[in-house]
Amino acid sequence: MLHIVIMAGGSGTRFWPASRGRRPKQFLQLATDHSLLRETYERITPLAPPERVWVVTAESTAELSRDVLPELPPGNVLGEPMGRDTAACVGFAAEAALSRDPGAVCIVLPADHVISDGAALCSALAAGARHVETVGGLLTFGIRPTAPETGFGYLLLGGREGESNGHPVHALDRFVEKPDAATAAEYLAHGGYLWNSGMFAWRAADLLGEMERQLPRLRAGLAEIATALGTEAEAEVVAARYPELQRISIDYGVMEGAGQGWILPVDFPWSDVGSWPALREVKEADADGNVVRGRVAAVDSRQSILVSEGPVIGVAGVEGLVVVATEDAVLVVPADRAQEVKTIVGKLKDAGWDDVL
Amino acid sequence: MLHIVIMAGGSGTRFWPASRGRRPKQFLQLATDHSLLRETYERITPLAPPERVWVVTAESTAELSRDVLPELPPGNVLGEPMGRDTAACVGFAAEAALSRDPGAVCIVLPADHVISDGAALCSALAAGARHVETVGGLLTFGIRPTAPETGFGYLLLGGREGESNGHPVHALDRFVEKPDAATAAEYLAHGGYLWNSGMFAWRAADLLGEMERQLPRLRAGLAEIATALGTEAEAEVVAARYPELQRISIDYGVMEGAGQGWILPVDFPWSDVGSWPALREVKEADADGNVVRGRVAAVDSRQSILVSEGPVIGVAGVEGLVVVATEDAVLVVPADRAQEVKTIVGKLKDAGWDDVL
């Protein structure tokens, strides 16, 4: 049967001060009044009942995830004692799904993306799942690019191999790392390069079979964990074994070398909301081009991202600025330098101001 | 004997979000860890004991003033039911001082200026007080200008009439409204124009005599209040009569037409800290030219005013910006547009967000 695996393990500092160590991006309300995790869950509810929805997240955010998704059986939230990259993450979920359902087919998707057209998403996901359920292999969903983005990895389409529910399915040629601007422009012109969305579909058994072949040590570690799943020893075994799992991405660790790799291209609007300025992609701007959240008074200001999680923000005469305010911290940075949030966070760490990290 | 009158009635929005309706500028810690009112008091302690220090402030901030200056007898904090400009304010204080001391000489000074050289200030104030104690008349202190400021009123020096404790004393020619830039440059070149500091000295009886002559209605209202001072009826009479007092400045209402008007020129560093960017005049900048208060992490940022009253502020890549954060509000405005804080506050008022005003 169809299982949904939501990867909610991300951490990171790009959304400081809203995101914190104990409240990473997927728990933020960026596009709507719901957290990205909640939105991700709600988008896929047409595909599977809560009993077959899994969340893999950091152990430290497992309780928060259960609070956000009270419909899920608590055991469906799998806590990672530490992040071991995406291969371990999806393998963990595959073992969990298999432990309940020997015929499990998994759709895997990140918790922190914004996709407004849920119907288009579900149609594509269902088609991908149906394809792998029928013919096996590992399938990844590729987004048709709309701009020469340098912030994403790309997938290269192989030949068209078939169709599922009206969606063409191609062979997966290869994964390509984030390109420079010139290369990204070539990719866009070429037409055969898609954005790597981080969404996948496979039979759980097929994924673990490929891991057995390509990453036998990882597979062995997961198998040990699998034997403990649902028993009293689960927490202890996970805590002991998970940190030893090989740290490698599903893309390069398994997908690229898979016996049968597929790409299902999709072209619905999609954003990974990679930084504060990307809020513009998922939230409508006002007449002055400002993207506003919370109580904000903007005087003669344009093209800015003005986000409050509590305090009133008053700005005048600013342009292209990011201002984010929480109860205990404020960020101000030009939109075109938003990547420097990392540097700020580093400086806060150096200063020992851990209360705001 | 010598009395000190601190005018702490100012309100205003130029220091939003730090200043609020119930906490105007004189209660802010702008230059040091003490409020401007406290600093003003501490500067003049060599001149008079607490029993002869008076504070005139809004009724709504009288308790706060007593908290800031616990040394003062509570009755020395005079609460104005509403602001009636400076003539009423200094008249009120003169009546209060006279009610205890028929020979009272008053030095009057605003609560919200920053003067780092307290000794120079006290020397000048004492000299001015000595002058009026000896020869009578109303004396104002003028600051020798160091720049063609358009934000201040000016005083025009008359002829030199004498000297007090080594300080020359001139006749007061006239008060001049805030000039435009060209006129301010002329004033600076001329040499006879001084900044109007808002500091004064007079015998209380002389001031009230001039009011009797020039502003008889105001004087009559004050006299009614005077009869109630120190009695059980004080609060009631002040509440009833004060709002009826004539609204006029001491400069144009009394000083300019006084039988004997004096100017004592001073040249110590002085700032009225008129807006956030003026913090630069009273607080040392760091190596990047940033004036910083509170927990601030500034990355590659210059010439900015970064003030926190609680939240951590993180900025990167900004220049010439004012960022002020309190627990419930944040201001971001370029320093050269700091006057637009008023517009922001107006917008907050329109939005009904009175909790941050």
Side-chain angles (χ1 to χ4, degrees):
Chain A
M1 284 192 293
L2 189 58
H3 295 246
I4 307 289
V5 176
I6 300 175
M7 295 190 292
S11 65
T13 58
R14 285 178 298 178
F15 282 87
W16 186 87
S19 70
R20 302 291 168 94
R22 296 189 162 274
R23 195 177 68 142
K25 177 186 162 200
Q26 58 271 23
F27 297 101
L28 302 185
Q29 299 159 1
L30 290 179
T32 71
D33 287 336
H34 295 293
S35 67
L36 297 183
L37 172 59
R38 179 76 209 174
E39 286 179 356
T40 299
Y41 170 73
E42 293 193 350
R43 274 197 292 274
I44 56 78
T45 48
L47 298 176
E51 304 76 49
R52 286 190 268 119
V53 175
W54 302 84
V55 173
V56 189
T57 191
E59 185 58 51
S60 59
T61 51
E63 272 313 303
L64 182 53
S65 301
R66 291 183 186 109
D67 291 345
V68 169
L69 304 174
E71 300 91 337
L72 267 53
N76 280 28
V77 174
L78 306 169
E80 300 177 292
M82 63 195 307
R84 300 307 288 165
D85 214 330
T86 47
C89 168
V90 299
F92 189 12
E95 294 282 14
L98 264 188
S99 73
R100 293 221 201 119
D101 173 6
V105 173
C106 295
I107 288 171
V108 176
L109 65 173
D112 62 348
H113 294 172
V114 171
I115 298 164
S116 52
D117 189 346
L121 171 71
C122 286
S123 165
L125 294 177
R130 186 185 175 88
H131 182 77
V132 296
E133 184 169 25
T134 310
V135 305
L138 311 185
L139 181 143
T140 181
F141 297 86
I143 318 278
R144 292 210 181 273
T146 53
E149 283 287 342
T150 57
F152 306 140
Y154 284 69
L155 309 167
L156 179 56
L157 284 173
R160 177 163 171 165
E161 303 272 338
E163 189 180 294
S164 176
N165 291 2
H167 293 266
V169 179
H170 291 248
L172 166 63
D173 189 325
R174 60 187 175 92
F175 285 83
V176 187
E177 299 277 5
K178 295 175 186 177
D180 60 25
T183 311
E186 283 172 30
Y187 288 174
L188 186 64
H190 179 283
Y193 288 88
L194 306 185
W195 290 338
N196 182 358
S197 71
M199 299 189 290
F200 306 95
W202 44 60
R203 297 179 193 144
D206 287 351
L207 175 74
L208 294 170
E210 279 289 356
M211 286 186 169
E212 179 83 52
R213 190 169 67 79
Q214 299 186 63
L215 304 167
R217 282 189 299 123
L218 175 62
R219 174 69 184 95
L222 290 171
E224 276 194 75
I225 289 171
T227 60
L229 285 177
T231 73
E232 284 190 359
E234 176 173 336
E236 193 187 330
V237 173
V238 169
R241 293 288 158 248
Y242 208 87
E244 298 171 358
L245 296 179
Q246 191 176 353
R247 189 167 204 151
I248 191 165
S249 77
I250 182 67
D251 299 339
Y252 293 102
V254 182
M255 289 298 296
E256 202 163 48
Q260 275 187 314
W262 310 110
I263 303 181
L264 191 149
V266 298
D267 57 7
F268 43 73
W270 166 89
S271 173
D272 78 336
V273 212
S275 64
W276 284 117
L279 224 53
R280 192 170 292 287
E281 299 164 10
V282 301
K283 205 166 158 55
E284 206 172 344
D286 66 17
D288 296 318
N290 298 318
V291 177
V292 170
R293 182 174 183 86
R295 293 202 293 171
V296 173
V299 174
D300 192 22
S301 296
R302 276 171 294 278
Q303 299 297 326
S304 293
I305 307 284
L306 307 168
V307 173
S308 171
E309 296 203 340
V312 163
I313 295 176
V315 302
V318 305
E319 184 160 358
L321 201 65
V322 173
V323 179
V324 182
T326 69
E327 280 184 5
D328 61 358
V330 176
L331 168 72
V332 181
V333 66
D336 58 6
R337 300 185 68 169
Q339 76 283 1
E340 301 199 29
V341 172
K342 281 181 196 172
T343 319
I344 292 174
V345 170
K347 206 154 181 170
L348 298 173
K349 203 167 288 178
D350 292 346
W353 298 341
D354 295 322
D355 56 311
V356 295
L357 295 175
Chain B
M1 283 190 292
L2 188 58
H3 294 246
I4 307 289
V5 176
I6 300 176
M7 294 190 291
S11 65
T13 58
R14 288 179 297 178
F15 282 88
W16 187 88
S19 71
R20 301 292 167 93
R22 296 190 164 275
R23 196 179 64 143
K25 177 186 162 201
Q26 58 270 26
F27 298 100
L28 303 186
Q29 299 159 359
L30 290 179
T32 69
D33 288 336
H34 296 294
S35 67
L36 296 184
L37 173 58
R38 179 77 209 170
E39 287 179 354
T40 298
Y41 170 72
E42 293 193 350
R43 273 197 293 273
I44 55 77
T45 49
L47 297 177
E51 304 75 50
R52 285 191 267 120
V53 175
W54 302 84
V55 174
V56 189
T57 190
E59 186 58 53
S60 58
T61 50
E63 272 313 301
L64 183 53
S65 301
R66 293 184 185 107
D67 291 347
V68 168
L69 303 175
E71 299 91 338
L72 265 54
N76 280 30
V77 175
L78 305 169
E80 298 177 292
M82 63 194 308
R84 300 307 289 165
D85 213 330
T86 47
C89 169
V90 299
F92 190 13
E95 294 282 15
L98 264 188
S99 73
R100 292 220 204 122
D101 173 6
V105 172
C106 296
I107 288 172
V108 175
L109 64 174
D112 61 349
H113 294 174
V114 171
I115 298 164
S116 51
D117 189 345
L121 171 71
C122 286
S123 165
L125 293 178
R130 186 186 174 86
H131 182 77
V132 295
E133 186 170 22
T134 310
V135 304
L138 311 185
L139 182 144
T140 181
F141 297 86
I143 317 277
R144 292 211 180 272
T146 53
E149 284 287 343
T150 57
F152 307 140
Y154 284 70
L155 309 168
L156 178 57
L157 284 174
R160 178 163 168 167
E161 304 273 338
E163 188 179 296
S164 176
N165 290 3
H167 294 265
V169 178
H170 291 247
L172 166 63
D173 189 327
R174 60 188 175 95
F175 284 83
V176 187
E177 298 276 4
K178 295 176 188 178
D180 59 25
T183 310
E186 283 172 30
Y187 288 174
L188 187 64
H190 178 281
Y193 288 89
L194 306 185
W195 291 338
N196 183 358
S197 71
M199 298 188 292
F200 307 94
W202 43 61
R203 297 178 193 144
D206 287 350
L207 175 74
L208 294 170
E210 280 290 354
M211 287 185 170
E212 179 84 50
R213 190 170 67 81
Q214 299 186 61
L215 302 169
R217 282 188 300 124
L218 176 63
R219 176 66 184 94
L222 289 172
E224 276 194 75
I225 289 171
T227 61
L229 284 177
T231 73
E232 284 191 0
E234 175 173 339
E236 193 187 329
V237 173
V238 169
R241 292 289 159 250
Y242 208 87
E244 297 170 359
L245 296 179
Q246 191 175 352
R247 189 169 204 150
I248 191 165
S249 77
I250 181 68
D251 298 339
Y252 293 101
V254 182
M255 289 298 296
E256 204 164 47
Q260 274 187 315
W262 309 111
I263 303 180
L264 191 149
V266 299
D267 57 5
F268 42 73
W270 166 90
S271 172
D272 77 337
V273 213
S275 64
W276 284 117
L279 225 52
R280 192 171 292 287
E281 299 164 10
V282 299
K283 204 166 156 55
E284 206 172 344
D286 66 17
D288 296 318
N290 298 317
V291 177
V292 170
R293 181 173 183 89
R295 294 201 294 171
V296 173
V299 174
D300 193 23
S301 296
R302 275 172 295 279
Q303 299 298 327
S304 293
I305 307 285
L306 307 168
V307 173
S308 171
E309 295 203 340
V312 163
I313 295 176
V315 301
V318 305
E319 186 160 354
L321 202 65
V322 173
V323 179
V324 182
T326 69
E327 280 186 5
D328 60 358
V330 175
L331 167 72
V332 182
V333 66
D336 57 6
R337 299 185 67 168
Q339 77 282 3
E340 301 199 27
V341 173
K342 281 182 196 172
T343 319
I344 292 174
V345 170
K347 206 156 181 170
L348 299 173
K349 204 167 286 179
D350 293 344
W353 298 340
D354 296 322
D355 56 313
V356 295
L357 294 176

